[in-house]
Every structure is written in structure tokens, then in C-alpha cells.
Amino acid sequence: IIFQFYEQFDATMYNGVLGGLALPLVLQPLLFPSSFDNSPDGQRVWWERYSTKANLWIAVYSFIGNYWYTHYFYSVLKAEYTMPATRLNNVPIAMTFATHFYFSSYHAFSNSLLRKVETTFESGILRRLLFIAVVITFSYFTAFMETLTISSFPYYTFEDRDMAYTIGSAFYAIYFLVSFPAFYYFDSNVDNVDNKGKITLWDTFISSCGHGMVILTLLDFVRLWLRIPLVLKISDS
């Protein structure tokens, strides 16, 4: 974004560049399962690796978010993508690729923070309250910083940018209020090499879909409270 290379992009270039940025994350479970750090994943078959399941969880979440949640931004915040794009349900497909590597980063950071809370402090009500406070704070911080940093990209616009920074960030934070703890807990056996009580790929898929539905419902509750109609426009491409 800083160097404005996107000014030369057509729809195919957007797909290629953003897909290429997501590809290393997708290939990591197959090519570097141990992550050069003696990860238990190095001793597991590929479909039992945490990194495989984490990729699937984020991929499903990214698809749901772009296919459905984006329309809430269109309707509530009057957001719009105007760059050349191959679209599905009037959302640029390239954004699903971008969401995968963005959300992978966000959830890696949130997992580190939540794990730090749970491994540093003794179990009890105070640790639980701290855990909740970290989820809320990091959710809003993540949403606000993405909204702020993407503001220099001229092909994602808002009718009222100040509203997007404040109310919009809180609206966006709903995603992470659900997904940060959900992603943290979805496979609690990540450190067990023998994978006792293992979570399967199907379990992972269902977990992501279920929490995706929770987020969708919460977004719709906010839309109803604001008394804003949800309008889904079907694109031509």
C-alpha cells in the first residue's frame, strides 16, 4: 500500500498477489510442519497437525466473513470496494486471500496473549476477568488499527470515515470478541504429541462454522438495533 503498486493491478493481479501472500501459510503444514522449532506437528500426519487445522479454521472463517459479513459493512457503514476485481456475492475474491493472512496474524498474536495470561497467573476469577479484558481490548485494538492502516488504500471507501474509525471499529471488533477465544480453545490438545482426544478436520470445520454463525447473528442484532436494512447487491462478475 505504501508504494502504491496496486495502481498497476487488474483483477488477475489482485488475485495473484494476495493469493501468493496467503500461500506460504497454506503450504507450511506440508513443507515445514515443525516450524524449525521442534513443534509436535513434525511428528504427526498432515491431517492431524495443528497448523493444518488452524489453516482450515481461519480459511472457513475468512470465507464466511467475506461472503456474509462484508455486506453488513456495505449496509451499516456504507463501505465499498471499487478496485478491479473478480467478485463472488459482490465481494472481491482477492479479499478472502488477504483475510487469510491478516486473520492468521491476528489470531497468532491473540493466542500468544491469551496463553500468556493462562500460564502466568493462577486459575481463578481474577485471571478470568483479565482474560476477558485482554480479549475485549485486543479485539478493539485490532479492528481499529486495521481500519486506520487501510485508510490509505483508496479503493476501499466509507461514506463517513470518522464513523468507520469509531463505531465501525467497534462493529468490526465483534468478529474478534468471538473468534479470539474460539480459536484459542478449539484445539486444546495442541501440545500433546499423541493427540489424545484429538480434534479432527471435521471438528475444526464445524467449530469455525458455528462461531461464524454466532458472529453473523451478533452483527445482525446490531443492524436491527440501528434500524438499518440489510441490502445484498448481486454483482455481474
Side-chain angles (χ1 to χ4, degrees):
I1 289 179
I2 295 175
F3 298 103
Q4 299 184 354
F5 293 135
Y6 54 77
E7 294 291 359
Q8 311 302 319
F9 289 2
D10 58 12
T12 302
M13 281 292 291
Y14 272 108
N15 291 336
V17 170
L18 297 181
L21 290 172
L23 190 60
L25 294 166
V26 176
L27 294 178
Q28 181 267 320
L30 297 174
L31 302 181
F32 307 106
S34 65
S35 301
F36 306 106
D37 193 32
N38 295 319
S39 165
D41 270 1
Q43 302 177 49
R44 297 168 176 151
V45 293
W46 71 267
W47 61 86
E48 292 182 350
R49 291 169 183 161
Y50 175 78
S51 51
T52 302
K53 291 180 278 190
N55 261 289
L56 176 61
W57 203 100
I58 295 294
V60 173
Y61 181 24
S62 299
F63 176 81
I64 294 172
N66 281 276
Y67 191 87
W68 286 112
Y69 308 162
T70 302
H71 289 277
Y72 286 82
F73 282 79
Y74 290 170
S75 296
V76 174
L77 298 174
K78 302 298 186 290
E80 184 179 10
Y81 287 110
T82 59
M83 73 281 203
T86 305
R87 294 175 180 256
L88 176 64
N89 201 27
N90 200 25
V91 179
I93 292 175
M95 291 300 100
T96 301
F97 303 144
T99 302
H100 189 80
F101 60 77
Y102 270 113
F103 278 19
S104 293
S105 300
Y106 300 161
H107 288 78
F109 288 133
S110 70
N111 267 17
S112 297
L113 288 172
L114 298 178
R115 190 180 183 92
K116 184 67 174 177
V117 170
E118 290 209 327
T119 56
T120 302
F121 301 96
E122 292 185 3
S123 179
I125 185 64
L126 292 179
R127 191 180 78 176
R128 177 56 53 185
L129 291 174
L130 178 60
F131 188 98
I132 294 171
V134 169
V135 170
I136 293 172
T137 303
F138 193 57
S139 294
Y140 188 81
F141 173 80
T142 302
F144 178 80
M145 289 306 297
E146 182 181 320
T147 304
L148 181 64
T149 55
I150 204 173
S151 63
S152 59
F153 181 59
Y155 302 112
Y156 184 49
T157 61
F158 297 95
E159 187 175 85
D160 185 338
R161 192 162 290 278
D162 289 336
M163 180 182 176
Y165 290 147
T166 53
I167 305 301
S169 293
F171 190 65
Y172 186 21
I174 292 172
Y175 289 32
F176 306 122
L177 288 172
V178 175
S179 69
F180 283 163
F183 185 74
Y184 179 70
Y185 283 122
F186 93 89
D187 188 357
S188 58
N189 296 297
V190 59
D191 293 324
N192 297 333
V193 177
D194 57 12
N195 250 9
K196 289 183 179 178
K198 64 185 178 184
I199 301 299
T200 66
L201 292 179
W202 178 249
D203 295 330
T204 301
F205 177 79
I206 294 299
S207 171
S208 189
C209 286
H211 288 99
M213 188 63 199
V214 172
I215 296 168
L216 179 62
T217 303
L218 291 174
L219 293 176
D220 209 52
F221 285 164
V222 173
R223 178 192 66 80
L224 290 172
W225 179 64
L226 294 172
R227 302 181 67 83
I228 296 173
L230 178 63
V231 179
L232 274 67
K233 297 180 180 179
I234 305 300
S235 61
D236 294 330
S237 56

